[in-house]
Amino acid sequence: MRREGRRRLTVHPDPSIRLARPDDAAAVAELWLTSFKATYPFPPAHPDDEVRAWVAEILLPGTETWITEDGDESIGFLSLGDRSIEQLYLLPAWTGRGIGSRLVRLSKERRPAGLELWTFQVNAPARRFYERHRFRPVEWTDGAGNEERQPDVRYVWP
């Protein structure tokens, strides 16, 4: 029996994680923009071109950033500060597949003394995710301290 019109998909069972390089800036920026816009009902605080410049000029040089890839496709990234998860984003189609958990485990290995992070209160899936990974909420704000002016919550681990 012939299968016409079916495309064979290549699926890598275990996407790779590696340190990001400066030439990954465009991929990281697109991951951030795509994920942010798919997740939140409000726009980013800055236009897309400013986000791209921020990733290239501030985020990548100023953090330890890890990128996750499935073959040649960039599917997520994690940026670590000295004691913080600064950014953790996955393409929407890749959530719920254990990749975020791998990135959180990596962050705990890289920062065993403890971590903190902020997320928007409206992002209930992210809050449940972090709480499953033993982060606990310690501060709730009205959003006056962030650029989006959205209520947020600070989590800490351990």
Side-chain angles (χ1 to χ4, degrees), residues 108-153:
K108 289 177 175 181
E109 290 169 10
R110 303 291 299 166
R111 305 294 186 271
L115 288 161
E116 71 173 21
L117 63 90
W118 289 90
T119 192
F120 294 113
Q121 291 179 29
V122 71
N123 193 347
R127 292 181 21 231
R128 286 190 302 272
F129 170 80
Y130 290 121
E131 289 169 14
R132 276 195 315 272
H133 288 280
R134 298 185 26 232
F135 283 81
R136 65 185 200 296
V138 295
E139 182 180 359
W140 299 77
T141 80
D142 64 1
N146 65 58
E147 291 182 310
E148 290 81 6
R149 299 293 184 244
Q150 297 295 318
D152 56 4
V153 56

Short mmCIF file of all heavy atoms in Angstrom, two decimals, residues 108-153:
data_model
loop_
_atom_site.label_atom_id
_atom_site.label_comp_id
_atom_site.label_asym_id
_atom_site.label_seq_id
_atom_site.Cartn_x
_atom_site.Cartn_y
_atom_site.Cartn_z
N LYS A 108 19.58 24.24 38.31
CA LYS A 108 19.87 23.85 39.69
C LYS A 108 21.28 23.27 39.82
O LYS A 108 21.96 23.50 40.82
CB LYS A 108 18.83 22.84 40.19
CG LYS A 108 17.47 23.47 40.41
CD LYS A 108 16.46 22.42 40.83
CE LYS A 108 15.12 23.03 41.18
NZ LYS A 108 14.15 21.99 41.61
N GLU A 109 21.72 22.53 38.80
CA GLU A 109 23.09 22.01 38.81
C GLU A 109 24.10 23.14 38.72
O GLU A 109 25.14 23.11 39.37
CB GLU A 109 23.30 21.05 37.63
CG GLU A 109 22.56 19.74 37.75
CD GLU A 109 22.58 18.94 36.45
OE1 GLU A 109 23.33 19.31 35.51
OE2 GLU A 109 21.84 17.94 36.38
N ARG A 110 23.79 24.15 37.89
CA ARG A 110 24.71 25.26 37.68
C ARG A 110 24.70 26.26 38.84
O ARG A 110 25.67 26.97 39.05
CB ARG A 110 24.36 26.00 36.38
CG ARG A 110 24.35 25.13 35.12
CD ARG A 110 25.70 24.65 34.70
NE ARG A 110 26.57 25.78 34.40
CZ ARG A 110 27.88 25.68 34.26
NH1 ARG A 110 28.49 24.53 34.39
NH2 ARG A 110 28.60 26.74 33.99
N ARG A 111 23.59 26.32 39.58
CA ARG A 111 23.44 27.25 40.71
C ARG A 111 22.92 26.49 41.94
O ARG A 111 21.82 26.74 42.43
CB ARG A 111 22.47 28.39 40.36
CG ARG A 111 22.81 29.18 39.10
CD ARG A 111 24.10 29.97 39.25
NE ARG A 111 24.34 30.84 38.11
CZ ARG A 111 25.00 30.49 37.01
NH1 ARG A 111 25.47 29.26 36.86
NH2 ARG A 111 25.18 31.36 36.02
N PRO A 112 23.71 25.55 42.48
CA PRO A 112 23.22 24.72 43.58
C PRO A 112 22.96 25.48 44.88
O PRO A 112 22.22 24.99 45.74
CB PRO A 112 24.32 23.67 43.76
CG PRO A 112 25.56 24.32 43.21
CD PRO A 112 25.08 25.20 42.08
N ALA A 113 23.51 26.66 45.04
CA ALA A 113 23.29 27.44 46.25
C ALA A 113 21.89 28.05 46.30
O ALA A 113 21.45 28.51 47.35
CB ALA A 113 24.34 28.54 46.38
N GLY A 114 21.19 28.05 45.19
CA GLY A 114 19.83 28.57 45.16
C GLY A 114 19.58 29.46 43.96
O GLY A 114 20.50 29.96 43.33
N LEU A 115 18.29 29.62 43.67
CA LEU A 115 17.85 30.39 42.52
C LEU A 115 16.61 31.19 42.87
O LEU A 115 15.85 30.81 43.77
CB LEU A 115 17.48 29.45 41.36
CG LEU A 115 18.60 28.75 40.64
CD1 LEU A 115 18.06 27.55 39.87
CD2 LEU A 115 19.30 29.72 39.70
N GLU A 116 16.39 32.24 42.11
CA GLU A 116 15.12 32.95 42.15
C GLU A 116 14.72 33.26 40.72
O GLU A 116 15.54 33.19 39.81
CB GLU A 116 15.21 34.23 42.99
CG GLU A 116 16.01 35.34 42.36
CD GLU A 116 15.92 36.64 43.16
OE1 GLU A 116 15.59 36.62 44.35
OE2 GLU A 116 16.16 37.68 42.55
N LEU A 117 13.45 33.58 40.55
CA LEU A 117 12.94 33.96 39.24
C LEU A 117 11.65 34.74 39.43
O LEU A 117 11.02 34.68 40.49
CB LEU A 117 12.70 32.73 38.36
CG LEU A 117 11.64 31.73 38.84
CD1 LEU A 117 10.26 32.06 38.30
CD2 LEU A 117 12.04 30.33 38.42
N TRP A 118 11.28 35.47 38.41
CA TRP A 118 10.02 36.19 38.36
C TRP A 118 9.19 35.63 37.21
O TRP A 118 9.74 35.31 36.15
CB TRP A 118 10.24 37.68 38.11
CG TRP A 118 10.83 38.41 39.27
CD1 TRP A 118 12.16 38.60 39.53
CD2 TRP A 118 10.12 39.07 40.31
NE1 TRP A 118 12.31 39.34 40.68
CE2 TRP A 118 11.08 39.64 41.18
CE3 TRP A 118 8.77 39.23 40.61
CZ2 TRP A 118 10.72 40.37 42.30
CZ3 TRP A 118 8.42 39.95 41.73
CH2 TRP A 118 9.38 40.51 42.57
N THR A 119 7.91 35.56 37.39
CA THR A 119 6.99 35.24 36.30
C THR A 119 5.73 36.06 36.50
O THR A 119 5.44 36.52 37.61
CB THR A 119 6.69 33.73 36.20
OG1 THR A 119 6.03 33.48 34.95
CG2 THR A 119 5.83 33.23 37.34
N PHE A 120 5.00 36.28 35.43
CA PHE A 120 3.76 37.03 35.54
C PHE A 120 2.69 36.17 36.21
O PHE A 120 2.59 34.97 35.93
CB PHE A 120 3.28 37.51 34.17
CG PHE A 120 4.21 38.50 33.54
CD1 PHE A 120 4.93 38.17 32.41
CD2 PHE A 120 4.38 39.77 34.09
CE1 PHE A 120 5.79 39.07 31.82
CE2 PHE A 120 5.24 40.68 33.52
CZ PHE A 120 5.95 40.33 32.38
N GLN A 121 1.90 36.79 37.06
CA GLN A 121 0.85 36.06 37.78
C GLN A 121 -0.14 35.40 36.82
O GLN A 121 -0.65 34.32 37.10
CB GLN A 121 0.11 36.98 38.74
CG GLN A 121 0.96 37.43 39.91
CD GLN A 121 0.22 38.36 40.84
OE1 GLN A 121 -1.00 38.30 40.97
NE2 GLN A 121 0.96 39.24 41.51
N VAL A 122 -0.39 36.01 35.69
CA VAL A 122 -1.36 35.49 34.73
C VAL A 122 -0.89 34.17 34.10
O VAL A 122 -1.70 33.41 33.58
CB VAL A 122 -1.67 36.54 33.64
CG1 VAL A 122 -0.49 36.75 32.71
CG2 VAL A 122 -2.92 36.18 32.87
N ASN A 123 0.39 33.86 34.20
CA ASN A 123 0.94 32.65 33.58
C ASN A 123 0.80 31.46 34.54
O ASN A 123 1.79 30.96 35.09
CB ASN A 123 2.39 32.87 33.17
CG ASN A 123 2.90 31.79 32.25
OD1 ASN A 123 2.28 30.74 32.09
ND2 ASN A 123 4.05 32.05 31.65
N ALA A 124 -0.42 31.00 34.72
CA ALA A 124 -0.69 29.89 35.64
C ALA A 124 0.07 28.62 35.27
O ALA A 124 0.57 27.93 36.17
CB ALA A 124 -2.19 29.63 35.73
N PRO A 125 0.20 28.26 33.99
CA PRO A 125 0.98 27.06 33.68
C PRO A 125 2.44 27.17 34.14
O PRO A 125 3.00 26.20 34.66
CB PRO A 125 0.88 26.94 32.16
CG PRO A 125 -0.41 27.61 31.82
CD PRO A 125 -0.49 28.77 32.80
N ALA A 126 3.06 28.32 33.96
CA ALA A 126 4.45 28.49 34.41
C ALA A 126 4.52 28.43 35.94
O ALA A 126 5.44 27.82 36.49
CB ALA A 126 5.02 29.82 33.92
N ARG A 127 3.56 29.02 36.61
CA ARG A 127 3.58 28.97 38.08
C ARG A 127 3.45 27.53 38.57
O ARG A 127 4.19 27.11 39.48
CB ARG A 127 2.48 29.88 38.64
CG ARG A 127 2.80 31.35 38.35
CD ARG A 127 1.81 32.37 38.87
NE ARG A 127 0.98 31.94 39.93
CZ ARG A 127 -0.35 32.06 39.96
NH1 ARG A 127 -0.98 32.61 38.93
NH2 ARG A 127 -1.05 31.67 40.98
N ARG A 128 2.55 26.75 37.97
CA ARG A 128 2.43 25.34 38.36
C ARG A 128 3.72 24.58 38.07
O ARG A 128 4.17 23.76 38.87
CB ARG A 128 1.26 24.68 37.63
CG ARG A 128 -0.10 25.09 38.16
CD ARG A 128 -1.22 24.23 37.59
NE ARG A 128 -1.29 24.26 36.13
CZ ARG A 128 -1.98 25.16 35.42
NH1 ARG A 128 -2.67 26.11 36.04
NH2 ARG A 128 -1.99 25.10 34.11
N PHE A 129 4.33 24.87 36.92
CA PHE A 129 5.58 24.23 36.52
C PHE A 129 6.67 24.49 37.57
O PHE A 129 7.32 23.56 38.04
CB PHE A 129 5.99 24.75 35.14
CG PHE A 129 7.37 24.35 34.72
CD1 PHE A 129 7.60 23.09 34.20
CD2 PHE A 129 8.42 25.24 34.83
CE1 PHE A 129 8.88 22.71 33.79
CE2 PHE A 129 9.70 24.88 34.43
CZ PHE A 129 9.92 23.61 33.92
N TYR A 130 6.87 25.75 37.93
CA TYR A 130 7.92 26.07 38.90
C TYR A 130 7.62 25.47 40.27
O TYR A 130 8.53 24.99 40.95
CB TYR A 130 8.14 27.58 38.98
CG TYR A 130 8.78 28.14 37.73
CD1 TYR A 130 8.14 29.13 36.98
CD2 TYR A 130 10.01 27.67 37.29
CE1 TYR A 130 8.74 29.63 35.83
CE2 TYR A 130 10.60 28.16 36.13
CZ TYR A 130 9.96 29.14 35.41
OH TYR A 130 10.54 29.63 34.28
N GLU A 131 6.37 25.48 40.66
CA GLU A 131 6.02 24.90 41.95
C GLU A 131 6.25 23.39 41.96
O GLU A 131 6.68 22.83 42.97
CB GLU A 131 4.59 25.27 42.32
CG GLU A 131 4.47 26.75 42.66
CD GLU A 131 3.06 27.27 42.80
OE1 GLU A 131 2.11 26.46 42.90
OE2 GLU A 131 2.89 28.51 42.80
N ARG A 132 6.02 22.71 40.84
CA ARG A 132 6.34 21.28 40.75
C ARG A 132 7.83 21.04 40.90
O ARG A 132 8.26 19.98 41.35
CB ARG A 132 5.89 20.71 39.39
CG ARG A 132 4.46 20.30 39.33
CD ARG A 132 4.15 19.42 38.12
NE ARG A 132 4.69 19.86 36.85
CZ ARG A 132 4.08 20.70 36.01
NH1 ARG A 132 2.89 21.19 36.30
NH2 ARG A 132 4.65 21.03 34.87
N HIS A 133 8.63 22.02 40.53
CA HIS A 133 10.08 21.91 40.64
C HIS A 133 10.61 22.52 41.94
O HIS A 133 11.79 22.87 42.02
CB HIS A 133 10.75 22.52 39.41
CG HIS A 133 10.57 21.69 38.19
ND1 HIS A 133 11.34 20.59 37.92
CD2 HIS A 133 9.65 21.75 37.19
CE1 HIS A 133 10.93 20.03 36.80
NE2 HIS A 133 9.91 20.72 36.33
N ARG A 134 9.73 22.61 42.93
CA ARG A 134 10.09 23.01 44.29
C ARG A 134 10.48 24.48 44.45
O ARG A 134 11.13 24.85 45.42
CB ARG A 134 11.17 22.09 44.85
CG ARG A 134 10.71 20.66 44.96
CD ARG A 134 11.69 19.70 45.62
NE ARG A 134 12.59 20.32 46.54
CZ ARG A 134 13.93 20.18 46.50
NH1 ARG A 134 14.48 19.44 45.58
NH2 ARG A 134 14.69 20.77 47.40
N PHE A 135 10.10 25.32 43.51
CA PHE A 135 10.23 26.77 43.71
C PHE A 135 9.01 27.18 44.52
O PHE A 135 7.92 26.64 44.34
CB PHE A 135 10.23 27.51 42.37
CG PHE A 135 11.53 27.43 41.63
CD1 PHE A 135 11.85 26.31 40.89
CD2 PHE A 135 12.44 28.47 41.68
CE1 PHE A 135 13.04 26.22 40.19
CE2 PHE A 135 13.64 28.40 40.99
CZ PHE A 135 13.95 27.26 40.24
N ARG A 136 9.19 28.13 45.43
CA ARG A 136 8.05 28.60 46.21
C ARG A 136 7.87 30.11 46.03
O ARG A 136 8.85 30.85 45.97
CB ARG A 136 8.16 28.20 47.66
CG ARG A 136 9.25 28.80 48.43
CD ARG A 136 9.32 28.22 49.86
NE ARG A 136 10.03 29.05 50.80
CZ ARG A 136 11.31 29.36 50.74
NH1 ARG A 136 12.05 28.97 49.76
NH2 ARG A 136 11.85 30.11 51.68
N PRO A 137 6.61 30.54 45.95
CA PRO A 137 6.37 31.98 45.78
C PRO A 137 6.65 32.71 47.09
O PRO A 137 6.25 32.26 48.16
CB PRO A 137 4.88 32.05 45.42
CG PRO A 137 4.29 30.80 45.97
CD PRO A 137 5.37 29.77 45.96
N VAL A 138 7.37 33.82 46.99
CA VAL A 138 7.72 34.58 48.19
C VAL A 138 7.33 36.05 48.10
O VAL A 138 7.36 36.75 49.11
CB VAL A 138 9.22 34.46 48.52
CG1 VAL A 138 9.58 33.03 48.88
CG2 VAL A 138 10.09 34.98 47.38
N GLU A 139 6.98 36.53 46.91
CA GLU A 139 6.63 37.94 46.76
C GLU A 139 5.67 38.11 45.60
O GLU A 139 5.93 37.62 44.50
CB GLU A 139 7.90 38.77 46.52
CG GLU A 139 7.68 40.25 46.39
CD GLU A 139 8.96 41.02 46.15
OE1 GLU A 139 10.05 40.40 46.09
OE2 GLU A 139 8.87 42.24 45.99
N TRP A 140 4.57 38.79 45.84
CA TRP A 140 3.57 39.09 44.82
C TRP A 140 3.53 40.60 44.66
O TRP A 140 3.51 41.33 45.65
CB TRP A 140 2.20 38.58 45.26
CG TRP A 140 2.15 37.10 45.47
CD1 TRP A 140 2.64 36.41 46.56
CD2 TRP A 140 1.63 36.12 44.59
NE1 TRP A 140 2.43 35.06 46.40
CE2 TRP A 140 1.80 34.86 45.20
CE3 TRP A 140 1.01 36.18 43.35
CZ2 TRP A 140 1.39 33.68 44.60
CZ3 TRP A 140 0.60 35.00 42.76
CH2 TRP A 140 0.79 33.77 43.39
N THR A 141 3.54 41.08 43.39
CA THR A 141 3.51 42.53 43.19
C THR A 141 2.35 42.92 42.27
O THR A 141 1.76 42.08 41.60
CB THR A 141 4.81 43.06 42.58
OG1 THR A 141 4.80 42.82 41.17
CG2 THR A 141 6.05 42.44 43.22
N ASP A 142 2.10 44.21 42.22
CA ASP A 142 1.05 44.74 41.35
C ASP A 142 1.57 45.06 39.95
O ASP A 142 0.84 45.56 39.10
CB ASP A 142 0.44 45.98 41.97
CG ASP A 142 1.42 47.14 42.12
OD1 ASP A 142 2.61 47.01 41.71
OD2 ASP A 142 1.01 48.18 42.67
N GLY A 143 2.86 44.80 39.71
CA GLY A 143 3.44 45.03 38.39
C GLY A 143 4.10 46.38 38.22
O GLY A 143 4.68 46.65 37.17
N ALA A 144 4.06 47.23 39.23
CA ALA A 144 4.65 48.56 39.11
C ALA A 144 6.16 48.51 38.87
O ALA A 144 6.72 49.44 38.31
CB ALA A 144 4.35 49.39 40.36
N GLY A 145 6.81 47.41 39.24
CA GLY A 145 8.25 47.31 39.10
C GLY A 145 8.73 46.64 37.82
O GLY A 145 9.93 46.49 37.64
N ASN A 146 7.84 46.25 36.93
CA ASN A 146 8.31 45.65 35.67
C ASN A 146 7.84 46.50 34.48
O ASN A 146 6.91 47.28 34.59
CB ASN A 146 7.87 44.18 35.55
CG ASN A 146 6.38 43.98 35.46
OD1 ASN A 146 5.71 44.50 34.57
ND2 ASN A 146 5.83 43.21 36.39
N GLU A 147 8.52 46.33 33.38
CA GLU A 147 8.25 47.17 32.21
C GLU A 147 6.88 46.95 31.60
O GLU A 147 6.31 47.86 31.00
CB GLU A 147 9.33 46.93 31.14
CG GLU A 147 10.69 47.46 31.55
CD GLU A 147 11.72 47.26 30.47
OE1 GLU A 147 11.83 46.13 29.96
OE2 GLU A 147 12.39 48.25 30.13
N GLU A 148 6.34 45.75 31.74
CA GLU A 148 5.02 45.45 31.17
C GLU A 148 3.89 45.98 32.06
O GLU A 148 2.75 46.00 31.65
CB GLU A 148 4.86 43.94 30.96
CG GLU A 148 5.72 43.39 29.85
CD GLU A 148 7.16 43.11 30.27
OE1 GLU A 148 7.50 43.25 31.47
OE2 GLU A 148 7.96 42.76 29.40
N ARG A 149 4.23 46.34 33.29
CA ARG A 149 3.23 46.82 34.28
C ARG A 149 2.16 45.75 34.54
O ARG A 149 0.99 46.07 34.72
CB ARG A 149 2.58 48.14 33.84
CG ARG A 149 3.57 49.27 33.66
CD ARG A 149 4.17 49.68 35.01
NE ARG A 149 5.04 50.82 34.89
CZ ARG A 149 6.35 50.78 35.15
NH1 ARG A 149 6.92 49.66 35.51
NH2 ARG A 149 7.07 51.86 35.04
N GLN A 150 2.62 44.49 34.61
CA GLN A 150 1.72 43.36 34.86
C GLN A 150 2.04 42.75 36.22
O GLN A 150 3.22 42.60 36.56
CB GLN A 150 1.88 42.30 33.77
CG GLN A 150 1.51 42.77 32.39
CD GLN A 150 0.04 43.09 32.27
OE1 GLN A 150 -0.80 42.36 32.79
NE2 GLN A 150 -0.27 44.18 31.60
N PRO A 151 1.04 42.38 36.99
CA PRO A 151 1.30 41.73 38.28
C PRO A 151 2.21 40.50 38.10
O PRO A 151 2.03 39.71 37.17
CB PRO A 151 -0.09 41.32 38.76
CG PRO A 151 -1.02 42.28 38.08
CD PRO A 151 -0.39 42.53 36.73
N ASP A 152 3.19 40.40 38.98
CA ASP A 152 4.12 39.28 38.88
C ASP A 152 4.36 38.65 40.24
O ASP A 152 3.85 39.11 41.26
CB ASP A 152 5.42 39.70 38.20
CG ASP A 152 6.13 40.88 38.85
OD1 ASP A 152 5.68 41.36 39.91
OD2 ASP A 152 7.16 41.31 38.31
N VAL A 153 5.13 37.58 40.23
CA VAL A 153 5.42 36.84 41.45
C VAL A 153 6.88 36.39 41.40
O VAL A 153 7.37 35.98 40.35
CB VAL A 153 4.45 35.64 41.65
CG1 VAL A 153 4.46 34.71 40.48
CG2 VAL A 153 4.72 34.90 42.94
#
